[in-house]
Amino acid sequence: MRFNRILLSTALVVVALVLQVSVFARLHLPGAVPDLLLLVVVGLGLVYGHTGGALVGFGAGLLADLAPPADHATGRYALVLCVVGYLVGLAKPETGRLRSVTLPLVVVLGAAVVSTLLYAGVGALVGDTAARHVGLTGLLLTAALYDLLLAPFTVPLIMALARRGENDPLTAEGTAAVAAGGDGSYGRLSVSMRAGRGKSLGGQRGGLLTRGTRIGRGGRLKGKRL
């Protein structure tokens, strides 16, 4: 990943994790907890693609595994968000622009369901039966509901920040200069060299033609005089 992607992703993940631990986890809502980290992974995955989404998801999940008060095995949420980020990145539009808000909402809904199922499945493999006591159906419904309510206020902003970070002015100007044939000093130098060569060749050709004409005329005149 490029430096601007790493910097933006790290800042968004840290802010989301702080808000989730200090605010959303203390609301004591029924069922699941609103997953702001998941929404960050969804927003960045829709801009960065499957590779960037998987890397962001793994980093965000690992940070959540290590941050207190985590009460699950380290790497469990990293695996879940890595898979979710990869799947979300596959839904990235080819043009990079979303024509409607339907796709992000559908992606958020699918990500909430998949992340809850994966988290519960990995927990069952390692002996964590907390999902059985709460109820998997209730977790799925509440997780999807909370994430969908937060999505309109977070996902568009995250995607806008990610797209703004992708538009590097130096890279854009360099690409435009190359596409235009080189507007910089090197381009002007090459153009001037080409023009100079064309003039010199044209002058040489004109001089040869003039000399040939003069020689031809002189030979004819000498022949007539003889």
Side-chain angles (χ1 to χ4, degrees), residues 2 6 28 34 55 81 98 117 125 127 131 155 158 176 204 209 219 226:
R2 291 182 293 181
I6 297 174
H28 301 290
L55 292 175
L81 288 186
L98 297 176
L117 291 176
L125 292 176
V155 175
I158 294 169
Q204 291 177 359
L209 290 174
L226 291 174

Side-chain angles (χ1 to χ4, degrees), residues 14-36:
V14 170
V15 172
L17 182 61
V18 170
L19 290 176
Q20 186 166 334
V21 172
S22 60
V23 178
F24 294 112
R26 300 177 182 272
L27 296 177
H28 301 290
L29 297 173
V33 177
D35 198 342
L36 194 56

Side-chain angles (χ1 to χ4, degrees), residues 1-12 48 55-56:
M1 294 180 67
R2 291 182 293 181
F3 178 75
N4 56 347
R5 288 188 177 186
I6 297 174
L7 187 62
L8 178 63
S9 302
T10 303
L12 291 176
Y48 295 160
L55 292 175
V56 172

Side-chain angles (χ1 to χ4, degrees), residues 44-140:
L44 295 179
L46 287 174
V47 178
Y48 295 160
H50 59 278
T51 303
L55 292 175
V56 172
F58 179 80
L62 186 60
L63 188 61
D65 290 333
L66 299 176
D71 56 352
H72 54 268
T74 303
R76 179 178 173 183
Y77 203 48
L79 174 63
V80 172
L81 288 186
C82 180
V83 174
V84 171
Y86 180 83
L87 295 177
V88 169
L90 295 177
K92 174 188 175 183
E94 295 181 358
T95 59
R97 297 288 180 178
L98 297 176
R99 298 181 179 179
S100 65
V101 298
T102 305
L103 179 61
L105 293 179
V106 172
V107 172
V108 168
L109 178 61
V113 173
V114 170
S115 63
T116 305
L117 291 176
L118 281 177
Y119 190 81
V122 175
L125 292 176
V126 298
D128 185 3
T129 59
R132 297 180 183 178
H133 301 290
V134 179
L136 185 58
T137 304
L139 285 177
L140 287 173

